[in-house]
Amino acid sequence: MNTKYKSIYLSEQADVYYIDSKNVVLVHWKKYCELERYREPLMKALEVIREHRGCEYVADTRDGFEDNPLDTKWVAEYFMPKAKEYGCSTIYFIIDEGNSLKEELEGQEKDSSSILEFRYIYGIDEI
């Protein structure tokens, strides 16, 4: 499958892409970051979700994703409600085979499962 990625935001910590054929915004986390460096890619993702009706959010967590507790709180109190408000209904986490970030991801799901549906996948082609 030839999936076309449109670059939205590129940084040392994370890249944000819009994939038109799937109507998803993909955030590829590349290394640990926190506070503004963590929130900036997510704010860009929210812009994409707002601009594309029914757009879903995909986090590629295979190369890094751990959260600062302040960021975890921000995601639950700001990012997830805004994503829902803008029309997102599902959060996809691309995980590695061993799901090495299981505890972190389950924490985010626990904080926001009443707002959005969560799905764990091994690649973008599963959407």
Side-chain angles (χ1 to χ4, degrees), residues 27-96:
V27 177
H28 174 218
W29 296 100
K30 299 187 288 188
K31 64 189 252 184
Y32 178 79
C33 58
E34 58 186 9
L35 304 173
E36 289 310 310
R37 288 188 174 168
Y38 177 82
R39 297 171 193 191
E40 182 76 20
L42 292 175
M43 294 299 292
K44 296 296 183 186
L46 283 175
E47 289 175 21
V48 173
I49 293 168
R50 188 179 68 233
E51 293 169 5
H52 297 88
R53 183 178 178 97
C55 183
E56 306 295 9
Y57 172 76
V58 180
D60 187 341
T61 67
R62 295 174 290 185
D63 294 324
F65 185 74
E66 296 172 42
D67 281 348
N68 171 317
L70 293 173
D71 292 326
T72 301
K73 183 177 180 188
W74 179 85
V75 165
E77 293 178 358
Y78 183 82
F79 178 80
M80 297 294 184
K82 281 293 183 192
K84 173 76 170 178
E85 176 186 330
Y86 296 158
C88 180
S89 62
T90 305
I91 302 291
Y92 293 90
F93 287 112
I94 300 176
I95 57 174
D96 58 27

Side-chain angles (χ1 to χ4, degrees), residues 16-32:
V16 179
Y17 303 98
Y18 176 66
I19 306 172
D20 185 56
S21 64
K22 296 183 177 290
N23 194 27
V24 299
V25 61
L26 168 67
V27 177
H28 174 218
W29 296 100
K30 299 187 288 188
K31 64 189 252 184
Y32 178 79

Side-chain angles (χ1 to χ4, degrees), residues 103-118:
E103 190 173 302
E104 177 70 35
L105 299 176
E106 286 177 347
Q108 283 202 9
E109 180 177 1
K110 182 179 78 72
D111 290 343
S112 302
S113 63
S114 63
I115 300 172
L116 296 163
E117 180 180 345
F118 286 75

